[in-house]
Each structure stands twice: as structure tokens, then as C-alpha cells.
Amino acid sequence: MTQTYTTQMDAARKGIITPQMREVLANEVISEQLLLERVAQGRIAIPANKHHHNLKAAGVGQGLKTKINVNLGVSKDVCSFEGEMNKARLSLKYKADAIMDLSVSGDTEGFRKRLVAEVPVMIGTVPIYDTITRTGKPTEQITVEDWFETVRIHAENGIDFITIHAGLNQKCASSLRLNKRLCGIVSRGGAILYEWMAKTGQENPFYEYFDRLLDICEQHDVCISLGDGLRPGAIKDSTDAPQIEELITLGELTKRAWAHNVQVMIEGPGHVPLHEVEMNMKLQKKLCHHAPFYVLGPLVTDIAPGYDHITSAIGGALAAMHGADFLCYVTPAEHLRLPSADDVKEGIIASKIAAHAGDLAKGIPGAADLDHAMSAARGSLNWEGQFNLALDPEKARAYRASSEPADKGVCTMCGDFCSMKRLKGLL
């Protein structure tokens, strides 16, 4: 008899291997039993909306490769949906694991539907943004029904995971007022909800009516990415009382979601100095019961506009090493403008380097295989082999082609002094 299930978590708890789980098993070194156990426990999430029919599912969580996400979407000032589709195609070319649509202008639903129809990786959104765009209302005039109607629309559109800032409740808001920050609230979703709460005097609707949110997510198998509305946006604000207060609340909401068979990821900071990255990872895992951790960076310094893909990659590698499961890329345009296609590529490559470095440190099975193959190609001066193994083969080829050596077997850095050439056959 065919067993039925509502969500990937529900299936795992019933011992059912879903088609999405089989796709995860095909791309990871993990047993069926361990995958079932960790999905059932909430330590692995497989975001897979029932309406995203062309999805090639991926797992996020304990024992799996660190995944990376690409943010894209239009703004009022730069509103080209075709340009954003080109960024989506670029993301697939460079093997991003997820795409988040953060569009805040124009036909957002039409664009979401196009993404779901054309993009086979998991797709996320932030319904809080879209509520303002969809309704056209001033923030204080938005109703509880408006907030939840947007969530329902996104779920029916086929979105695999939604960021919901449900932990920024009135208690956390009070903590923020008592503990002044250098940069206040930098989360757009967090700022919108804080403004709504301040102007209406009401509790965060996603906190107050969390079970209503769970009902929608369970019906469509949408993973909730519990947003960190109070993430630090400055090194000085890192790991402060409001951030930790919200994290404690997110841990409580995680248990409630799991009781409804709804999968959860936890979003994390933000701007964090190097010496606090490990502590932040361990705090999240402890307070949120080892739910998958989705890290926005973290950026380890505030002084590098134009190079924040690098500050993010440094923090991301350390975060992944200490348990982060999912890295949100940061582009060189962060804090400055809507990223261009070139910015997107730079952000993807930097984030993939960070994720892979973290996997090497975590000892993810098979993670070092490509490194060993690259080393073997370098040791034998196999240039074509090196290009084929590179994260960005086109850039590697272009660099070599731009400076051709007289001896085609070496490069113009060392030439006849090449150690590999001199010791060939001697070791």
C-alpha cells in the first residue's frame, strides 16, 4: 500500500524515501538511514515545494556539503526582470545551489512563476517585502490578512523556502531599544516588521499567529528560513543582547515548526569579527537544536565596500568550518548598488571557495577529491586538466592565454625555473 506524507520531514518520520531524498543521496556521501534520521530530527532540510515540478532537490544540514545561495531580484530603480533571469542562468552555470528572489517592484508574481518554471534549484523569497509591493499600502495599513495572503501566494507559486522574521517580537524589540546599536536594524524584513509593530502597537503577526504560518507551509511543503531580523550589520553590534534574544526565540519556534512536520533553517549574522564566528556557530546550533544554519556572510570587517565578497568569503569559510550549512553569497556591490552580472559571478565564486574550504575542514566525505585531482594535474604540468577542474575554467584559460611562455609546458611566472619541470622523473 502506498504511504502518504505531507512534507519531507513527515516522510522521513514514516521511513519513506522520497524522490527528493533520492536526489540528495545521489549527490552526497550519506546513507539512506542516516539521511532519514537527520531529516526526521530536523538536522537536515530538503526544501522542495510540491509545486516546483522541475526541482533537482538538494539537502542542507549536518554531514552534507555546504550549499551556497544567490540573491537576485529587481528594485524600483533597476527593474529589468530579463536582466535578473540572466543572473539566474549565470548562477546555474557556476553551480549555485539556491536562488532567492528579493524583487520589490513590478510584476513580482509573474517573475516568481518564471523562476519556478525555468530554474531547477531550490528557490527562496521574503514574503514580507512582497506584501508591501503587492498591496501598495503604507506599512501601518497592512493587515494580518495581507501578510498571510502573500505567504499563501508564494507557497502556491512553488517557492521552496521563505524567509520569515517571526522571532522579532515585542520582547526582542524592547531589548533593541535598551541596547543601542551603531547600525540599528539592517535586515529589510526586520525593519519593515519593526516599523509595523511600532506604528500599530501590535505583536509581530508571524510570531503571534505562527501556527497559521505552519499550516500554509505544511500544506505545500515549504521550508521556513527563520530570518534574523536583528542580525548585526556592524562589527560593533555583533553578538549583542538583541541578536541573542531573537536567536533564543527562533529556537522555540523551531520546535513548534517541527511538531507540525515543517522543515526549518535558521538564518545567522551578518557582520561578525573573526574571533566571534566560531562562538556564533556554536550558539546557534545549541539554542536552535542543531537545525541547519544559513549564514549571511558573515562579513569580518566593515571597511571593504567594493570587496565585500572577500570579507564575506573569509567569514563564510570559518563559519562553514564550525558548522554553518548554507552560505548566502555576497557580491562586490554589497552596500553600494544592485549587483551586475559580473558582480554576481564574483560573489558566487568567492562563496563557493568559502563553502569548499569549510567542507575540507569539516571532513565532508569526498570533498578533497577535486583538490587531489588538481594537485596531480599541476604536478604533471597538465594545463588542460587544471582548467577542467577549476571553479572558473574560463578565467583560468584567459589568464594563461594572456601571457604565453616560450616553453608551452610551463608558465611565465617561473619559466625554466619551474620546479615541476626540473624534478620531472627524479622523484
Side-chain angles (χ1 to χ4, degrees), residues 415-427:
D416 193 46
F417 286 83
C418 174
S419 58
M420 303 300 182
K421 177 182 176 182
R422 284 179 172 270
L423 297 180
K424 192 173 184 178
L426 299 179
L427 291 175

Side-chain angles (χ1 to χ4, degrees), residues 5-311:
Y5 56 90
T6 56
T7 67
Q8 296 295 316
M9 175 173 273
D10 183 40
R13 288 171 171 174
K14 292 175 177 175
I16 301 170
I17 294 288
T18 66
Q20 293 78 17
M21 291 179 196
R22 295 206 180 280
E23 289 176 334
V24 172
L25 290 166
N27 291 289
E28 305 277 358
V29 182
I30 188 172
S31 69
E32 283 189 9
Q33 187 58 40
L34 195 54
L35 181 65
L36 282 172
E37 287 177 7
R38 289 180 179 170
V39 174
Q41 294 166 345
R43 295 190 176 205
I44 289 176
I46 304 175
N49 188 305
K50 294 175 180 178
H51 311 300
H52 193 175
H53 301 300
N54 67 338
L55 175 68
K56 291 182 172 62
V60 180
Q62 185 181 357
L64 306 183
K65 289 177 284 189
T66 305
K67 306 304 187 296
I68 74 156
N69 171 70
V70 169
N71 287 341
L72 49 79
V74 301
S75 68
K76 186 175 181 181
D77 291 317
V78 184
C79 193
S80 168
F81 285 113
E82 192 54 47
E84 297 310 294
M85 280 306 305
N86 288 334
K87 293 177 187 176
R89 296 183 194 105
L90 192 67
S91 301
L92 298 178
K93 177 181 177 179
Y94 289 102
K95 300 180 181 178
D97 302 291
I99 289 173
M100 284 201 80
D101 172 26
L102 308 184
S103 293
V104 292
S105 184
D107 182 11
T108 54
E109 184 173 13
F111 182 57
R112 273 196 309 279
K113 289 180 176 178
R114 186 175 176 189
L115 276 176
V116 171
E118 298 183 26
V119 172
V121 299
M122 53 184 164
I123 298 173
T125 59
V126 186
I128 292 166
Y129 304 169
D130 197 41
T131 302
I132 291 180
T133 304
R134 183 181 65 82
T135 64
K137 294 179 178 180
T139 306
E140 64 274 15
Q141 292 181 18
I142 293 173
T143 67
V144 171
E145 291 301 318
D146 290 331
W147 293 120
F148 282 97
E149 176 66 8
T150 306
V151 172
R152 182 192 62 76
I153 291 170
H154 284 224
E156 291 179 351
N157 288 164
I159 298 304
D160 303 296
F161 65 99
I162 54 172
T163 292
I164 298 290
H165 302 81
L168 204 180
N169 57 15
Q170 289 287 5
K171 183 179 179 184
C172 292
S174 176
S175 176
L176 183 67
R177 290 189 289 271
L178 290 171
N179 298 275
K180 297 299 182 182
R181 283 180 160 185
L182 194 60
C183 277
I185 297 176
V186 298
S187 160
R188 288 192 294 183
I192 291 167
L193 282 175
Y194 185 93
E195 179 190 6
W196 186 87
M197 292 159 62
K199 289 182 176 179
T200 66
Q202 297 183 55
E203 180 57 277
N204 180 338
F206 296 110
Y207 178 78
E208 186 172 4
Y209 305 107
F210 192 62
D211 286 345
R212 183 172 177 180
L213 174 67
L214 296 177
D215 288 342
I216 297 172
C217 292
E218 185 176 19
Q219 180 183 355
H220 301 279
D221 199 359
V222 177
C223 177
I224 301 176
S225 186
L226 285 170
D228 51 344
L230 296 181
R231 69 176 179 268
I235 294 299
K236 187 177 186 298
D237 300 333
S238 176
T239 326
D240 65 356
Q243 178 193 337
I244 303 307
E245 182 78 54
E246 183 183 33
L247 189 62
I248 292 169
T249 305
L250 297 184
E252 295 168 354
L253 295 175
T254 296
K255 283 192 168 182
R256 288 175 60 184
W258 287 345
H260 280 251
N261 291 314
V262 173
Q263 299 183 108
V264 170
M265 298 187 290
I266 307 294
E267 292 187 9
H271 289 235
V272 181
L274 275 175
H275 64 285
E276 292 184 10
V277 172
E278 180 181 1
M279 174 175 58
N280 270 264
M281 301 306 108
K282 290 181 176 178
L283 269 175
Q284 184 278 336
K285 290 292 184 178
K286 177 72 172 179
L287 294 176
C288 296
H289 323 293
H290 299 276
F293 199 14
Y294 176 22
V295 181
L296 310 176
L299 280 71
V300 295
T301 178
D302 297 338
I303 63 168
Y307 298 92
D308 276 331
H309 59 312
I310 297 174
T311 62

